[in-house]
C-alpha cells in the first residue's frame, strides 16, 4: 500500500482500560460506576456494596424456609399417591349394596354415610358366643359436608323392622342381607326423609393395624372396665377410669366390650359412646404434628381397613371432612325402654328418631 493510502486513514486515539486489582481489564462494575457518574448518581460505597450482593450457595433463612416448604409438599404428594394406590386395590361394595344407596349426596354440600363395623369379612366371627350369621357390631350415620361432620350412633340392639325378615334387633340385618339390607333397614328405621348416600364397612380384622399406624389413640374412659372374656382373643379387658393411650388391639377391645361387671348398669348406649370415643381419638391423632411423619403409612393403611362404594377422591373427601370438620358433634339414639322389646331389644320412640334425624341433618 502506498504512503498516500496511509494518509487517508481516520485520525483516532486508542485508550486502554484501567487494570483491575487482580491485573485484569476493567470490569462491568467499573463501567456501571462510570455511567452513574455521568448521570450524576452517587457511586457505590465499596465498604457496603458487597453486603448487598448474594453469595451463590449461601444458606439464608429464606432459602431454608423454601427447602422446608418443598419437602413438606413432596411428602404430602407422596402420601396422596400412596392413598389413591391403596384405595384402588380395595374392592368395592356388592351390587345389591350399590343399588340400595341413594345417589346425589355430596360430601361438599352434604351427604349421609352409613358406617358399619363388623368382623364378618374375615369369614368367621370374632365372637364365638354368637349364633348364626355375623351381625353389625357398630352402626354409625355420618352427615358430612365441607367443614362439618355430625354423627349419630344407633344401638345395635334397637328393635326394627327388617324388610323381608320381620321385626328384630337392627344389627341382624347385616347378617341377613349384608350392607345393602342394612342401608334399607336404617332408612326405614329412622325415617323422616333420611337417605343413605354412601356406605363404609369397617373390617375389624385390619382395624388394629390402622390404629397402630397412627401410633395409638387416646380415649377418655367414662367408667372403670373389668370385662370377662369375649371374642376369640380377649381373655378379659381391664381399664381404669380416665384418659388412656391405646394401641390397635386395646382400642378394638375398648370399642367391643359387651359386659362390664365394674359398671353393671351399663348398656348398649355406653358401648356406642366408647365407639365414638375411638373415632374422636383417631381424629385427634390425625391432627397431631407427630402423625405427619407417619402420613404415608397411614395413607396406605386407611383404605385397607374399609370397604366402600366411594372411589379414591370421594374417600379422600370423607377423611378430609372428618379431620377438618367439627366431628365432636355426636349423638347416641336414646331408647324409651331398655330391654323391653322382644329378645331384650331396645325400643326407640318416633319422637326421638325425628329429633335425632333433624339434629343430624340440620345441626339443631
Amino acid at each position: 500500500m502506498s504512503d498516500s493510502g496511509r494518509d487517508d486513514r481516520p485520525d483516532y486515539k486508542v485508550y486502554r482500560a484501567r487494570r483491575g486489582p487482580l491485573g485484569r481489564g476493567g470490569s462491568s462494575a467499573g463501567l456501571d460506576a462510570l455511567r452513574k457518574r455521568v448521570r450524576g448518581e452517587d457511586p457505590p460505597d465499596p465498604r457496603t456494596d458487597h453486603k448487598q450482593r448474594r453469595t451463590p450457595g449461601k444458606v439464608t433463612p429464606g432459602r431454608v424456609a423454601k427447602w422446608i416448604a418443598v419437602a413438606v409438599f413432596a411428602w404430602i404428594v407422596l402420601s396422596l399417591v400412596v392413598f389413591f394406590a391403596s384405595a384402588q386395590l380395595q374392592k368395592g361394595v356388592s351390587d345389591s349394596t350399590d343399588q340400595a344407596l341413594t345417589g346425589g349426596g355430596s360430601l361438599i354440600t352434604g351427604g349421609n354415610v352409613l358406617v358399619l363395623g363388623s368382623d364378618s369379612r374375615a369369614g368367621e366371627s370374632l365372637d364365638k358366643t354368637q349364633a348364626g350369621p355375623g351381625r353389625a357390631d357398630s352402626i354409625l350415620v355420618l352427615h358430612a359436608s365441607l367443614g362439618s361432620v355430625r354423627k349419630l350412633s344407633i344401638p345395635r340392639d334397637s328393635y326394627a323392622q327388617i324388610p323381608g325378615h320381620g321385626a328384630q334387633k337392627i344389627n341382624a340385618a347385616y347378617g341377613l342381607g349384608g350392607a345393602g339390607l342394612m342401608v334399607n333397614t336404617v332408612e326405614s328405621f329412622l325415617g323422616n326423609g333420611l337417605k343413605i348416600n354412601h356406605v363404609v364397612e369397617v373390617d375389624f380384622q385390619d382395624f388394629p393395624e390402622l390404629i397402630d399406624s397412627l401410633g395409638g389413640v387416646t380415649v377418655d374412659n367414662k367408667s372403670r372396665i373389668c370385662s370377662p372374656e369375649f371374642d376369640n382373643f380377649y381373655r378379659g379387658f381391664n381399664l381404669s377410669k380416665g384418659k388412656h393411650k391405646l394401641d390397635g388391639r386395646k382400642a378394638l377391645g375398648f370399642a367391643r366390650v359387651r359386659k362390664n361387671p365394674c359398671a353393671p348398669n351399663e348398656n348398649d348406649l355406653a358401648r356406642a359412646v366408647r365407639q365414638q370415643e375411638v373415632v374422636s381419638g383417631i381424629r385427634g391423632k390425625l391432627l397431631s404434628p407427630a402423625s405427619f411423619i407417619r402420613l404415608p403409612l397411614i395413607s396406605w393403611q386407611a383404605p385397607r381397613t374399609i370397604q366402600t362404594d366411594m372411589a379414591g377422591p370421594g374417600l379422600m373427601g370423607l377423611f378430609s371432612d372428618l379431620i377438618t370438620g367439627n366431628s365432636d358433634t355426636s349423638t347416641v339414639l336414646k331408647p324409651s325402654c331398655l330391654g323391653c322389646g322382644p329378645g331384650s331389644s331396645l325400643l326407640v320412640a318416633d319422637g326421638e328418631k325425628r329429633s335425632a334425624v333433624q339434629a343430624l341433618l340440620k345441626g339443631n
Side-chain angles (χ1 to χ4, degrees):
M1 183 179 292
S2 64
D3 293 338
S4 60
R6 291 192 184 95
D7 295 337
D8 293 337
R9 292 179 182 177
D11 187 14
Y12 60 87
K13 296 180 179 181
V14 178
Y15 295 91
R16 289 184 180 276
R18 181 182 298 174
R19 297 180 66 82
L22 299 180
R24 298 177 182 176
S27 64
S28 60
L31 293 176
D32 289 340
L34 179 61
R35 292 190 186 101
K36 289 183 179 181
R37 291 193 189 97
V38 173
R39 291 195 298 265
E41 299 177 3
D42 294 333
D45 188 345
R47 293 172 299 176
T48 59
D49 185 55
H50 70 280
K51 296 181 181 180
Q52 300 175 359
R53 302 174 189 170
R54 282 191 173 183
T55 303
K58 183 179 180 180
V59 177
T60 64
R63 286 176 176 170
V64 172
K66 181 179 178 180
W67 295 336
I68 293 175
V70 170
V72 168
F73 179 76
W75 195 247
I76 293 175
V77 170
L78 172 63
S79 301
L80 287 174
V81 171
V82 170
F83 181 90
F84 284 115
S86 181
Q88 190 67 25
L89 294 174
Q90 307 310 309
K91 66 177 183 179
V93 298
S94 63
D95 291 340
S96 61
T97 300
D98 194 54
Q99 293 171 3
L101 297 170
T102 300
S106 169
L107 297 181
I108 297 178
T109 59
N112 301 317
V113 183
L114 178 62
V115 181
L116 304 171
S118 175
D119 51 49
S120 63
R121 283 176 58 193
E124 185 177 13
S125 176
L126 292 174
D127 184 5
K128 301 303 182 181
T129 64
Q130 176 179 288
R135 302 187 175 199
D137 197 67
S138 62
I139 307 168
L140 180 68
V141 182
L142 302 177
H143 181 77
S145 60
L146 189 63
S148 175
V149 175
R150 293 184 288 272
K151 300 176 289 189
L152 173 63
S153 288
I154 302 175
R156 63 175 194 156
D157 290 341
S158 300
Y159 194 62
Q161 288 286 340
I162 300 178
H165 298 275
Q168 49 186 303
K169 292 180 179 180
I170 193 171
N171 66 334
Y174 189 79
L176 294 171
L181 183 58
M182 200 75 213
V183 168
N184 293 331
T185 302
V186 169
E187 289 181 342
S188 174
F189 173 72
L190 291 177
N192 299 288
L194 178 78
K195 296 297 180 182
I196 301 298
N197 308 117
H198 302 285
V199 66
V200 174
E201 300 177 64
V202 180
D203 183 3
F204 283 157
Q205 291 290 327
D206 294 329
F207 184 76
E209 294 183 14
L210 172 61
I211 299 297
D212 289 336
S213 71
L214 291 167
V217 295
T218 299
V219 299
D220 188 3
N221 185 28
K222 306 302 181 183
S223 60
R224 183 188 171 195
I225 299 175
C226 53
S227 172
E229 181 178 357
F230 64 96
D231 289 345
N232 65 337
F233 55 90
Y234 288 103
R235 298 187 177 182
F237 189 90
N238 294 276
L239 195 67
S240 61
K241 182 179 178 180
K243 291 188 176 182
H244 297 272
K245 184 177 180 180
L246 307 178
D247 61 16
R249 184 178 181 277
K250 289 182 179 179
L252 178 58
F254 177 76
R256 288 173 64 91
V257 166
R258 289 170 174 79
K259 296 179 181 180
N260 184 14
C262 289
N265 293 328
E266 276 191 359
N267 50 47
D268 205 35
L269 302 184
R271 177 187 176 89
V273 169
R274 284 195 290 267
Q275 291 169 353
Q276 289 205 9
E277 188 67 26
V278 173
V279 174
S280 297
I282 293 174
R283 176 179 180 265
K285 198 58 183 284
L286 286 171
L287 289 173
S288 67
S291 292
F292 184 78
I293 304 299
R294 298 171 173 264
L295 199 54
L297 177 59
I298 297 170
S299 299
W300 176 256
Q301 287 294 346
R304 292 167 57 86
T305 310
I306 64 177
Q307 185 174 341
T308 179
D309 66 291
M310 290 181 283
L315 195 57
M316 177 59 69
L318 176 60
F319 276 102
S320 298
D321 285 341
L322 285 171
I323 295 172
T324 61
N326 180 21
S327 61
D328 291 332
T329 306
S330 306
T331 304
V332 178
L333 198 63
K334 297 179 177 61
S336 57
C337 184
L338 298 173
C340 299
S344 300
S345 59
L346 310 179
L347 301 180
V348 182
D350 292 338
E352 169 67 13
K353 298 175 185 177
R354 183 168 52 254
S355 61
V357 170
Q358 184 178 8
L360 177 72
L361 300 181
K362 300 180 180 180
N364 52 29

